[in-house]
Amino acid sequence: MSDTARDIYLPVAAQPSIDTFATFATQAEQLGYDRIWCPETWGRDAVTILTAIAERTDEIGIGTSILNVYSRSPALLGQTAATLQEVSDGRFRMGLGPSGPILVEGWHGTEFESPLRFTRETIEIVKTVVAGEPLEYDGKIHQLSGFRLRFDPPESVPPIDAGGMSPKSVELAGRFGDGWHALMLTPEGLRERIEDFEHGSDLGDRDREDQRITLALPCIALEDRERARYLARNHIAFYVGGMGTFYREALKRQGFEDTAETIAIEWANRNKEAAIEAIGDDLLDELGAVGTPEEARERVADFEAIDGIDAINISFPRAAEPEEIEATIDVLAPE
């Protein structure tokens, strides 16, 4: 049996209600999952969802994956971390990251500047705030003074993880964060980025045993194998073709240059089915655990066996129906 934890990544797509998210969370807690991660993109805000989940669960961890560092101030992110740690009785873990220009500039109207530096400074500021220390910070981007929590800081300071895809961003996560959130990676690509993380950990003189690498793994386990694989292809094509260059560049670094370009071109030309079809079986199986229940279980176990992975975050295709998500949560439950 693997020592790797199994987490749940709540669906990025809009769901019927907050109760739907809470149902996924309570199901996951009953089945023994370690943590619930909540994304924040264009749907409901992650903080409200996690507050509702914290009130309706008892033991399962909660976390953000990820809050972008541009749409909330660093001090407010610190307040948020301290408050969610309080409302969850110490079960909170924060994931932060820069996201990308489409979300930051297009949706929030904020300049996407110096993402690595912005992320580093935000992590440092959040850690100061949640520790209850006076905030006197003189950075290249942020110059802050005079802030301090007006309530007792949490007894257990919540860990602050960083998201990242490029070698430098993963190195930053290792150097300044308590963990790294990985995604869109093949097993070989994951091993290369783990080396970057551990190099950053060494640079920051961090204890690697105290840090956590969490892989968000696209998963869908259905008796209807073709439906499962189509959903996953659609999900990958959407991110590579429609969400900026980061996912495309990640695929290129892992040896899928032609596929990444084809997906991007077809998506830009609104040939979405062609973009979906460009994702071959080899790439699909390299990036996720997709197919029948038996196939999905075996593939998750393959990823769990990769040295350096501390948690597998079971995530779901954006077009999956709630009942398909519930079925997958059940099939892939920890043993």
Side-chain angles (χ1 to χ4, degrees):
M1 182 177 175
S2 173
D3 292 330
T4 306
R6 286 198 190 178
D7 299 344
I8 290 292
Y9 187 84
L10 291 174
V12 70
Q15 298 298 310
S17 67
I18 288 181
D19 284 340
T20 307
F21 291 104
T23 296
F24 296 147
T26 54
Q27 179 189 7
E29 181 172 63
Q30 291 166 3
L31 290 171
Y33 284 92
D34 189 67
R35 187 171 300 274
I36 291 286
W37 295 99
C38 189
E40 186 171 78
T41 49
W42 52 83
R44 298 175 181 89
D45 76 276
V47 177
T48 303
I49 292 173
L50 287 176
T51 300
I53 288 172
E55 292 291 332
R56 302 184 201 189
T57 56
D58 298 311
E59 298 179 353
I60 195 166
I62 62 171
T64 55
S65 183
I66 60 172
L67 295 180
N68 83 76
V69 297
Y70 295 95
S71 61
R72 293 177 176 86
S73 76
L76 178 56
L77 285 168
Q79 291 174 267
T80 299
T83 306
L84 280 172
Q85 185 73 325
E86 178 182 4
V87 78
S88 66
D89 293 324
R91 292 182 280 147
F92 180 62
R93 192 175 185 106
M94 176 172 271
L96 298 174
S99 190
I102 288 179
L103 187 151
V104 172
E105 296 183 349
W107 301 356
H108 294 288
T110 300
E111 184 178 356
F112 187 76
E113 60 171 341
S114 306
L116 294 183
R117 185 73 198 189
F118 213 107
T119 301
R120 170 184 170 174
E121 291 193 9
T122 300
I123 291 172
E124 291 174 338
I125 293 166
V126 169
K127 287 189 173 185
T128 299
V129 171
V130 297
E133 299 171 2
L135 183 57
E136 301 293 335
Y137 191 86
D138 184 18
K140 291 184 178 179
I141 295 172
H142 299 290
Q143 295 82 42
L144 306 174
S145 178
F147 180 86
R148 187 172 186 173
L149 284 179
R150 287 195 173 183
F151 61 96
D152 290 338
E155 292 183 10
S156 174
V157 175
I160 311 297
D161 299 340
M165 303 183 74
S166 70
K168 283 296 182 183
S169 64
V170 177
E171 180 184 295
L172 179 145
R175 187 176 179 183
F176 298 102
D178 298 310
W180 167 48
H181 290 215
L183 74 165
M184 197 68 77
L185 289 166
T186 68
E188 185 57 35
L190 184 57
R191 292 184 183 97
E192 292 178 359
R193 295 291 77 78
I194 289 174
E195 291 179 3
D196 296 324
F197 180 83
E198 293 180 342
H199 177 61
S201 184
D202 289 340
L203 289 175
D205 197 25
R206 306 295 302 278
D207 185 346
R208 177 64 180 87
E209 293 298 316
D210 293 334
Q211 295 175 305
R212 185 181 183 94
I213 293 177
T214 301
L215 171 67
L217 185 68
C219 298
I220 188 76
L222 304 174
E223 294 298 340
D224 186 344
R225 183 176 190 270
E226 293 309 310
R227 164 73 176 170
R229 293 178 76 79
Y230 178 82
L231 285 170
R233 282 190 171 92
N234 179 18
H235 181 82
I236 294 168
F238 171 77
Y239 277 92
V240 174
M243 289 301 291
T245 62
F246 296 103
Y247 301 96
R248 188 190 323 165
E249 294 303 316
L251 279 190
K252 288 181 178 180
R253 281 192 295 269
Q254 297 172 87
F256 292 91
E257 297 92 342
D258 292 343
T259 300
E261 286 297 332
T262 298
I263 294 170
I265 291 169
E266 297 293 359
W267 197 273
N269 290 327
R270 300 186 178 181
N271 298 324
K272 294 185 179 180
E273 288 302 317
I276 292 168
E277 292 173 4
I279 301 167
D281 286 335
D282 57 342
L283 177 57
L284 188 61
D285 290 329
E286 285 281 281
L287 290 178
V290 178
T292 65
E294 182 179 356
E295 288 175 316
R297 280 192 291 261
E298 290 178 355
R299 195 61 181 144
V300 170
D302 290 340
F303 277 93
E304 285 179 328
I306 296 173
D307 189 41
I309 294 296
D310 300 293
I312 296 292
N313 198 357
I314 305 297
S315 66
F316 311 100
R318 66 191 190 98
E321 297 293 335
E323 59 269 20
E324 294 171 326
I325 293 168
E326 290 178 355
T328 299
I329 292 172
D330 186 62
V331 165
L332 298 180
E335 296 180 357

